[in-house]
Amino acid sequence: MPGTPAEEYAPASLYTEVQQFYARQMSLIEGRGADPDAWADTFTEDAVVESAADEGPDVGREAIRASVRAGVAHIAAQGWDFRHWFGMLDVRPQHDGSLRTRYYALAMATERGGALEIRGSLLCRDELVRGPGGRGWLVRHRALVPDGHTGA
Amino acid sequence: MPGTPAEEYAPASLYTEVQQFYARQMSLIEGRGADPDAWADTFTEDAVVESAADEGPDVGREAIRASVRAGVAHIAAQGWDFRHWFGMLDVRPQHDGSLRTRYYALAMATERGGALEIRGSLLCRDELVRGPGGRGWLVRHRALVPDGHTGA
Amino acid sequence: MPGTPAEEYAPASLYTEVQQFYARQMSLIEGRGADPDAWADTFTEDAVVESAADEGPDVGREAIRASVRAGVAHIAAQGWDFRHWFGMLDVRPQHDGSLRTRYYALAMATERGGALEIRGSLLCRDELVRGPGGRGWLVRHRALVPDGHTGA
């Protein structure tokens, strides 16, 4: 990754499935009916989420669940409408049927009665695997690098 | 909506048609050659457009036409380049061949010689139906909820 | 362009190829491993890049290469993480197998340790042709119009 533009493209069916997966996944932790448990369930049991901005990764679905619950509760307490936009998606099918994805994310929030604020931009890389019964997708690994981060 | 990520995905052909429909639809009211009448014609005759920020909905294509004409005239009078970005699109085919979509929109404007200003973010839900002769799409219902709105 | 929304849509395979082409192309000049030479090689030898904001177009791949090298060196010297987001993509297949595309771009930068800044929005139109051996895509013509520009 990124490789060159002439390398093989993911088939349209996979590419649009991933676009829909992300739209549905991120909607689960946005808005007034946010459901952080359902969001955690879009990760495999042994999933890892790591960010270059944080001390250590969340290892395992239950650690991810605890983190997202805290994040969603914080956002709700502030009264923000929070949105995640993903864009510039690249999808690389792997020989074992998993997918490697690369995309950018914008995190934005609007206060009740306030103006939109874009919080930042991130470079994201996921490993996705098929869900139970071969349906849908689950995240096995998510690595986030916030733009402007000062770490190594 | 949103349902869970593992629910069935729209086929790639439908998903990319909707992406193109929106790109073409919104370009009709953007830029110096804006054509609000052509935009109004992307709605069914009995279409409804409602926003949580407005008093009442626009009911019927002619009411939608009057609103969009006024909006486009206002933007032109200000000399803004106005853009609508749609993202995080989800598409749910219905049994009757119509589509339910959910997406986010960013409204942004740039003054002649000025800087880009992002006006706000919206949560949007559409009902789309096939156009005349089964070609293309028309909006039968559009519901907009601006982020940060203080209504019910 | 833009034509009406009911006109024929590009097939899903072409549409998603172009989405992936752009994601891969733009990633080549972003981030700490930027490779402006690889980016220049995504243009045909006789490609033209023109912007309504600039004096004259870059004519030919080598002129494009010189410009992008200078741009990437400038961004690196500032220590910015720079991102290009493309959105609202429309793709029109031509009879000769080439594609005409229309899309918006957002240019954004984050300083090391700083906040995201959106630099501006552009209207972009490309002509894409098949790469060597019929694989991948190359840009033969790119025309950029920055929003808010005061030229003709």
Side-chain angles (χ1 to χ4, degrees), chain B:
Chain B
M1 289 266 202
T4 70
E7 282 177 49
E8 216 169 307
Y9 300 108
S13 55
L14 278 183
Y15 191 80
T16 57
E17 276 195 19
V18 173
Q19 289 179 304
Q20 290 178 82
F21 171 73
Y22 285 142
R24 293 178 189 182
Q25 182 191 42
M26 300 312 292
S27 74
L28 294 172
I29 48 167
E30 295 171 348
R32 299 167 197 187
D35 183 351
D37 283 304
W39 190 84
D41 291 338
T42 66
F43 290 81
T44 64
E45 212 178 308
D46 62 349
V48 174
V49 176
E50 55 184 329
S51 166
D54 295 338
E55 296 231 338
D58 282 334
V59 178
R61 187 194 284 151
E62 295 318 309
I64 294 167
R65 190 186 308 277
S67 286
V68 72
R69 277 185 182 158
V72 165
H74 175 70
I75 287 168
Q78 306 292 323
W80 292 327
D81 284 327
F82 208 96
R83 303 288 170 204
H84 305 84
W85 280 61
F86 289 2
M88 299 302 273
L89 172 67
D90 194 17
V91 174
R92 308 269 180 164
Q94 306 296 303
H95 290 300
D96 64 357
S98 69
L99 304 176
R100 304 272 176 136
T101 68
R102 180 191 190 276
Y103 55 95
Y104 302 147
L106 284 177
M108 53 186 87
T110 309
E111 244 181 314
R112 220 49 54 86
L116 177 81
E117 197 192 319
I118 298 190
R119 297 301 180 84
S121 154
L122 301 99
L123 170 60
C124 313
R125 292 167 199 273
D126 281 355
E127 224 183 290
L128 302 180
V129 295
R130 280 282 176 202
R135 296 183 68 228
W137 295 96
L138 295 173
V139 181
R140 186 163 60 191
H141 193 271
R142 176 165 290 178
L144 309 173
V145 184
D147 284 347
H149 85 105
T150 52

Side-chain angles (χ1 to χ4, degrees), chain A residues 2-13 15-16 19 85-92 102 104-106 118-123 145-152, chain C residues 12-13 15-28 30 32 38 42 81-87 106 108 110-116 118 130 135-137:
Chain A
T4 70
E7 282 178 49
E8 218 170 305
Y9 300 109
S13 56
Y15 192 80
T16 58
Q19 289 179 304
W85 280 62
F86 289 2
M88 299 302 272
L89 172 67
D90 193 19
V91 174
R92 306 270 179 162
R102 181 190 190 276
Y104 302 147
L106 284 177
I118 298 190
R119 297 302 180 83
S121 154
L122 302 97
L123 170 60
V145 183
D147 284 348
H149 87 103
T150 52
Chain C
S13 56
Y15 192 81
T16 58
E17 276 196 19
V18 174
Q19 289 179 304
Q20 290 178 81
F21 170 73
Y22 285 141
R24 294 178 189 182
Q25 182 191 43
M26 299 313 292
S27 75
L28 293 172
E30 295 170 346
R32 297 168 198 189
T42 65
D81 284 327
F82 207 96
R83 303 287 170 204
H84 304 83
W85 280 62
F86 289 2
L106 284 177
M108 51 185 87
T110 309
E111 244 182 313
R112 221 48 54 84
L116 176 82
I118 299 190
R130 281 283 175 200
R135 297 183 64 229
W137 294 97

Side-chain angles (χ1 to χ4, degrees), chain C residues 3-149:
Chain C
T4 71
E7 282 178 49
E8 218 169 304
Y9 299 110
S13 56
L14 277 184
Y15 192 81
T16 58
E17 276 196 19
V18 174
Q19 289 179 304
Q20 290 178 81
F21 170 73
Y22 285 141
R24 294 178 189 182
Q25 182 191 43
M26 299 313 292
S27 75
L28 293 172
I29 48 167
E30 295 170 346
R32 297 168 198 189
D35 183 351
D37 283 303
W39 190 83
D41 291 339
T42 65
F43 290 79
T44 62
E45 213 178 308
D46 61 349
V48 174
V49 175
E50 55 184 330
S51 165
D54 294 338
E55 296 230 338
D58 282 335
V59 178
R61 188 194 284 150
E62 295 317 309
I64 295 168
R65 190 185 309 279
S67 287
V68 73
R69 277 184 182 158
V72 165
H74 176 70
I75 287 168
Q78 306 292 323
W80 292 327
D81 284 327
F82 207 96
R83 303 287 170 204
H84 304 83
W85 280 62
F86 289 2
M88 299 302 273
L89 173 66
D90 194 17
V91 174
R92 307 271 178 161
Q94 306 297 302
H95 290 300
D96 64 358
S98 69
L99 304 176
R100 304 271 175 137
T101 68
R102 182 192 189 274
Y103 55 96
Y104 302 148
L106 284 177
M108 51 185 87
T110 309
E111 244 182 313
R112 221 48 54 84
L116 176 82
E117 196 192 319
I118 299 190
R119 297 301 180 84
S121 154
L122 301 98
L123 170 60
C124 313
R125 292 166 199 274
D126 280 357
E127 223 183 291
L128 303 179
V129 295
R130 281 283 175 200
R135 297 183 64 229
W137 294 97
L138 295 172
V139 182
R140 187 162 60 191
H141 193 270
R142 176 165 290 177
L144 310 172
V145 183
D147 284 347
H149 86 104

